């Protein structure tokens, strides 16, 4: 049985061209948020099941690439165009040549994949909900239903989503939400990325259904919020080769820690180490497990808020509700 199940509705076939002393070097891999998270989880020693829809010719290629990485693939096959991109990195920076999000998923594929996720979630009890590359691939409402149903059957749910998908998942209820400060800005949850505004946004997200929230802030320390308050998490600033996939690696590290029995607050240390190391490599969702383990020793944390005020407010709200209920009973 796998340790983790990942919802990856529309994986991406990635083609990257790099410079080589003998000429051009072409790399072909499976990609997309869920795949990058799964790849890092495998590097950290986790057994992973990836649930996905594979479309047309690109889907046939993706099947082999995903299985060759040692991932257990449970897929729904369909005709049509799949997601793919071609990047030119010969000059050092990524330059997008082609980017195709693929055809939107139909009702039949969505229903089949939904059933697969519930079945696999019942087995692993730890699920990651990731998003596709395109905005129109599937309805955001899918994430609310999945988060709610998976938690109903006893699975813990971790999401790394933004915009309408994030709102939908949080409304369904999640154990851990990972989001970036840029995504909070885009959603209008903050007007500027100050610590005060981000903490207020995290409190709001917790009140709406996210038990734990972690906000990445590019090169600045991440912020983590749970029932015990707010924690600042600082990782060493390593030389950056490619920032793509760092957030997915952080999410994977948190999930790996939770799979090993850690709380989300404890697991965020492993996540920070995995994310910090990913930027030193060209491959997305890659890092050496031994290096990640050692780097954890250099992660530092600082208590920003011990949560006392929020807990007191929660008690006050409960007492007000109890008093109102008592008065209502007396009026009967």
């Amino acid at each position: 049985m796998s340790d983790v199940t990942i919802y990856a509705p529309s994986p991406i076939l990635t083609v990257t061209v790099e410079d080589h002393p003998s000429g051009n070097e072409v790399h072909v891999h499976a990609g997309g948020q869920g795949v990058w998270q799964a790849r890092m989880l495998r590097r950290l020693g986790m057994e992973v099941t990836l649930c996905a829809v594979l479309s047309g010719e690109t889907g046939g290629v993706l099947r082999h690439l995903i299985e060759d990485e040692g991932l257990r693939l449970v897929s729904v096959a369909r005709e049509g165009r799949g997601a793919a991109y071609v990047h030119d990195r010969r000059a050092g920076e990524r330059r997008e040549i082609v980017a195709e999000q693929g055809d939107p998923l139909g009702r039949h594929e969505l229903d089949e994949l939904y059933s697969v996720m519930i079945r696999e979630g019942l087995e692993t009890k730890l699920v990651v909900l990731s998003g596709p590359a395109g905005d129109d691939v599937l309805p955001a409402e899918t994430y609310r239903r999945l988060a709610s149903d998976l938690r109903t059957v006893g699975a813990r749910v971790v999401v790394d989503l933004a915009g309408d998908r994030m709102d939908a998942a949080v409304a369904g209820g999640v154990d851990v939400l990972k989001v970036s400060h840029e995504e909070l800005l885009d959603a209008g949850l903050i007007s500027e990325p100050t610590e005060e505004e981000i903490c207020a946004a995290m409190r709001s997200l917790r009140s709406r259904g996210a038990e734990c929230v972690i906000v990445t802030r590019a090169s600045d320390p991440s912020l983590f919020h749970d029932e015990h308050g707010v924690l600042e998490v600082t990782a060493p600033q390593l030389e950056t080769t490619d920032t793509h996939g760092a957030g997915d690696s952080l999410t994977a590290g948190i999930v790996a820690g939770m799979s090993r029995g850690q709380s989300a607050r404890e697991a965020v240390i492993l996540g920070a180490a995995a994310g910090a190391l990913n930027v030193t490599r060209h491959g997305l969702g890659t890092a050496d497990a031994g290096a990640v383990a050692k780097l954890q020793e250099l992660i530092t944390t600082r208590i920003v808020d011990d949560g006392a005020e929020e807990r007191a407010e929660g008690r006050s709200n409960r007492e007000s509700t109890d008093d109102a209920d008592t008065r209502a009973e007396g009026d009967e």
Side-chain angles (χ1 to χ4, degrees), residues 99-114:
E100 175 55 56
Q101 72 174 29
D103 295 327
L105 301 183
R107 180 182 62 81
H108 173 73
E109 296 88 38
L110 284 171
D111 285 350
E112 287 295 314
L113 191 60
Y114 199 96

Side-chain angles (χ1 to χ4, degrees), residues 4-12 30-39 48-55 62 66 71-76 83 105 109-110 113-114 116-117 120 127-133 137-138 142-143 146 150 158 160-161:
V4 182
T5 296
I6 297 181
Y7 182 73
S10 183
I12 304 171
Q33 186 183 46
V35 172
W36 294 324
Q37 292 165 345
R39 183 174 294 140
V48 183
T49 293
L50 195 73
C51 298
V53 173
L54 300 181
S55 305
L62 281 167
I66 291 170
L71 302 173
R72 177 174 176 261
L73 176 65
V74 181
S75 63
V76 177
L105 301 183
E109 296 88 38
L110 284 171
L113 191 60
Y114 199 96
V116 164
M117 278 300 300
E120 297 300 326
V127 173
V128 182
L129 302 183
S130 70
V137 174
L138 77 166
T142 306
Y143 289 94
L146 264 177
L150 285 164
V158 178
D160 184 352
L161 300 167

